[in-house]
Amino acid sequence: NETSNRTQELDRLLTSTETAHLLRVPEETLQNWRTRCPGYLPYVKVGRLVRYRREDLLSFIATHIRGKRGVEQ
């Protein structure tokens, strides 16, 4: 059902607080990224609210991995 799929997708949207917690950064950092680095971390605007998609966070994390596991830098 299309409505059910949309509801599930909305349920996966994270608040700025949840996103900051997962990334272990202050919420202010997310705000700075939104205003100073457009596109750095994709987000969704719902009216005045800002939300983040889980899949965008996973992609963001994957693209910012540096070095290899088990190898000292």
Side-chain angles (χ1 to χ4, degrees):
N1 180 329
E2 189 174 326
T3 303
S4 175
N5 289 342
R6 286 183 183 170
T7 300
Q8 287 177 352
E9 188 172 326
L10 288 174
D11 287 343
R12 285 183 246 161
L13 293 176
L14 302 171
T15 65
S16 292
T17 301
E18 293 168 326
T19 300
H21 178 74
L22 287 171
L23 294 177
R24 297 183 181 194
V25 298
E27 284 185 63
E28 292 79 15
T29 297
L30 296 177
Q31 185 178 17
N32 286 336
W33 289 346
R34 287 193 307 270
T35 57
R36 296 181 183 169
C37 309
Y40 186 64
L41 177 60
Y43 62 93
V44 177
K45 284 286 285 188
V46 182
R48 292 185 297 152
L49 303 175
V50 173
R51 296 291 183 260
Y52 296 87
R53 298 184 316 168
R54 289 182 188 275
E55 56 266 28
D56 289 335
L57 292 179
L58 294 174
S59 178
F60 176 82
I61 291 167
T63 60
H64 287 83
I65 294 174
R66 300 293 183 257
K68 297 181 182 178
R69 287 187 179 173
V71 176
E72 287 188 38
Q73 294 185 353

